[in-house]
Amino acid sequence: MNRLARAARDALRSGRFVSRWTFLVAGMLSVTVMSPAPTSIGVGAIGAASASTSVLLAGLLATAIGERRVSRRWRPWIVMTGVLASAILRPLAYDAVADALGASAPPAWQLPFRLLTNATVWTASLTGIAILTTHVARLRLTNARLLSVQHALSHSREDADAFESAAHELVRAASEELRGELRGLAADQRGPESLRAFSDDSVRRWSRRLTDLAATPAEPVIVAPIDHVRMRPALRLPPPGVVALVYALCVLPYALRTVPALQVMTGVALLGAGAVLADGVPRLRALRRRRIPAFLTIGAVVGVCLGALAWTQGIPLPLSAVPVLAYPALAAACALCAGTASALRVEERRLTATVRVSQRIGRVGTSAARAALEDAARELHRDAQGACVRTLAATDRWTPTTLRAVHDDVDPLLAGLPEVFERPRDGASIQALFDLVETWRPAVDVRMRMSSDARTALDASAAARDDVFEIVAEGLLNAVKHSVPAAATIDLDVVATGAGPRLRVQVRSPGRLPRGASLRRSSAARGRGARLRADGSGALLEAVIDTGAAPSVVSTEHPPHAQTSTS
């Protein structure tokens, strides 16, 4: 019930409480089950029904315009006032037009009950429609954001693979060319000038090429925002009792005014029996592969039975035929809504998992390849060129075998140069963190602040960089899924604690955090000490990370208790 209340409150504040589906359903209900039963079908009755429906739809149109032009704070008041006013004016408009056209109208003593019925039924039904449409729209928007980020991450991974391949090729080319040139020097037995040219020109040139490639900025991530996720219509069994409850809510106000109590009880009993069959039989194990056809077939049978019962109770044929069409249509609509919502939730979970995996794969990104290029350039400059310089510094001891000795000393280093890619590397780099933020920027309004002390701490600790990467990735993912609007502020700074200076990472996003929400038990950010809590009008994902800058003592920061995830 608390979840339903929160959903209703979100729908009232969404600015899209009244949608095209509101007008469609309101128009259909107004001229069918919610229309007063006339004693005869004529121009007056049709005019009165049309006038009351027009007043209702006009009131809803004014409500839609009003809620879109006021702030979020005033939207619930505008919506509730507009819906109640539209509902109350509807029967008044019917009576006024019916009197003017000489058509029969319900007795005056029924007016208070009709006003109450309209206020109750329209508020409940339109709120239900708004909750459903808001939920589906939110899921579609979330999935569109996740899909756009997934495409960007896939593109980033392809770029990283291409960069790594280019890095391998360049290091291999450097190794082969320098080894060949050094082998030629040793064979020709030339003098010091040839070694100096090899050192200053060839080795230095390749060292700079490797360094330049390592420093080459990554290609900008281009994300084409996806405004809408198209999905094939899917049908799914709705929650038990929903179809019968909605149908009863729409029909009972009319039945209680026009049908004796015994007949109402008979109809309710038949509706309940039909609901038990429609909700129970399709869920049998034997019908696992034919649940939807069975559900729709039983719904059609229930509609025919309700129509036949109404006809035998003396209700005119046009009105008694309403259940034959209304109940199966309502069952199909509920199955479609349940299927759409379920498909979108499944897609959201799939995209969320894909994005998390892609982020972990891309965490290192080009960092390992860049680090390998820097190592290769450093070895050429420090070791290969250093060996040449040491030899050139002692030209007075130059012999015909000096170049052979240099070759024997430097060639193994050049031969092993491509192996720099096989060495173990630290995880994420600071550049990987910046790349992550840029990847999410088209889908989320991201702002990141990093103090100079935090930058120093990250430069000094690979473990801290990994922790920050996972926490920021989790915070951005939560912002896309739950914040309205999609925005996040990332703060990285160093704070003083009882255990010494610690690196603090905070990811703030707007939007109310559900009560009891926490990170999943399997969350990588949770395993790194992050905790999720409400912070003012938004959510805060926060962690305090030990960078190893101080001796270990008892810290005033305590890890969060284990909680079940709802985020």
Side-chain angles (χ1 to χ4, degrees), residues 15 65-76 78-79:
I65 296 174
E67 71 169 334
R68 285 161 173 77
R69 296 192 175 185
V70 298
S71 65
R72 184 179 176 87
R73 175 184 178 184
W74 295 103
R75 285 172 185 168
I78 295 294
V79 170

Side-chain angles (χ1 to χ4, degrees), residues 93-218:
Y94 184 94
D95 292 352
V97 175
D99 290 340
L101 297 179
S104 61
W109 64 269
Q110 290 186 1
L111 183 59
F113 299 98
R114 291 167 60 204
L115 294 176
L116 180 61
T117 298
N118 274 269
T120 303
V121 171
W122 288 115
T123 300
S125 59
L126 297 184
T127 301
I129 295 169
I131 291 174
L132 179 62
T133 55
T134 302
H135 178 63
V136 171
R138 181 68 180 274
L139 283 174
R140 288 186 185 278
L141 178 61
T142 297
N143 288 355
R145 291 171 178 170
L146 290 174
L147 191 57
S148 65
V149 173
Q150 180 194 10
H151 290 171
L153 289 172
S154 300
H155 178 73
S156 298
R157 184 57 187 170
E158 293 172 1
D159 289 345
D161 291 340
F163 182 88
E164 186 173 355
S165 177
H168 276 273
E169 291 296 329
L170 188 64
V171 171
R172 189 179 301 111
S175 173
E176 292 175 355
E177 182 175 320
L178 290 175
R179 291 186 70 194
E181 188 173 345
L182 184 61
R183 193 162 42 247
L185 290 178
D188 293 345
Q189 292 293 321
R190 298 178 183 176
E193 291 303 321
S194 61
L195 182 61
R196 181 174 290 106
F198 173 76
S199 172
D200 294 345
D201 296 338
S202 301
V203 176
R204 180 177 297 176
R205 172 170 50 84
W206 276 108
S207 176
R208 287 179 176 175
R209 287 186 64 181
L210 296 177
T211 302
D212 290 343
L213 181 58
T216 301

Side-chain angles (χ1 to χ4, degrees), residues 159-447:
D159 289 345
D161 291 340
F163 182 88
E164 186 173 355
S165 177
H168 276 273
E169 291 296 329
L170 188 64
V171 171
R172 189 179 301 111
S175 173
E176 292 175 355
E177 182 175 320
L178 290 175
R179 291 186 70 194
E181 188 173 345
L182 184 61
R183 193 162 42 247
L185 290 178
D188 293 345
Q189 292 293 321
R190 298 178 183 176
E193 291 303 321
S194 61
L195 182 61
R196 181 174 290 106
F198 173 76
S199 172
D200 294 345
D201 296 338
S202 301
V203 176
R204 180 177 297 176
R205 172 170 50 84
W206 276 108
S207 176
R208 287 179 176 175
R209 287 186 64 181
L210 296 177
T211 302
D212 290 343
L213 181 58
T216 301
E219 291 292 329
V221 177
I222 301 175
V223 181
I226 301 174
D227 297 328
H228 186 70
V229 177
R230 296 186 179 275
M231 301 185 65
R232 297 177 58 186
L235 297 178
R236 182 182 176 89
L237 293 179
V242 168
V243 179
L245 181 62
V246 174
Y247 183 83
L249 184 64
C250 295
V251 172
L252 276 180
Y254 164 78
L256 291 174
R257 298 196 315 267
T258 59
V259 180
L262 181 60
Q263 295 181 359
V264 172
M265 294 177 62
T266 304
V268 171
L270 178 60
L271 179 62
V276 171
L277 291 175
D279 293 327
V281 172
R283 287 177 167 83
L284 295 176
R285 187 181 298 272
L287 298 175
R288 182 173 61 250
R289 297 183 181 275
R290 297 184 295 275
R291 286 178 175 175
I292 295 302
F295 175 75
L296 296 178
T297 301
I298 296 175
V301 173
V302 172
V304 171
C305 292
L306 291 172
L309 177 64
W311 184 71
T312 59
Q313 291 176 343
I315 296 177
L317 185 59
L319 292 179
S320 63
V322 169
V324 179
L325 301 175
Y327 195 89
L330 181 61
C334 290
L336 180 61
C337 293
T340 302
S342 176
L344 287 170
R345 285 195 298 268
V346 170
E347 181 70 3
E348 179 189 14
R349 288 194 292 267
R350 186 191 70 81
L351 287 172
T352 300
T354 302
V355 168
R356 283 198 174 104
V357 171
S358 299
Q359 285 184 152
R360 290 195 178 99
I361 292 175
R363 177 179 59 190
V364 176
T366 59
S367 299
R370 293 178 189 275
L373 287 170
E374 291 172 354
D375 285 351
R378 188 162 45 248
E379 290 183 8
L380 287 179
H381 175 72
R382 180 192 61 202
D383 300 331
Q385 195 173 15
C388 296
V389 170
R390 287 193 301 272
T391 302
L392 292 171
T395 54
D396 56 331
R397 293 195 294 271
W398 189 274
T399 67
T401 61
T402 297
L403 285 177
R404 171 62 61 182
V406 173
H407 173 271
D408 294 341
D409 185 21
V410 177
D411 186 69
L413 183 149
L414 298 177
L417 205 61
E419 298 177 1
V420 293
F421 294 96
E422 309 300 327
R423 299 172 186 172
R425 302 286 171 196
D426 294 334
S429 65
I430 295 182
Q431 184 60 44
L433 178 62
F434 292 149
D435 292 343
L436 173 72
V437 172
E438 290 303 317
T439 299
W440 282 95
R441 196 177 297 280
V444 190
D445 181 13
V446 188
R447 299 180 182 179

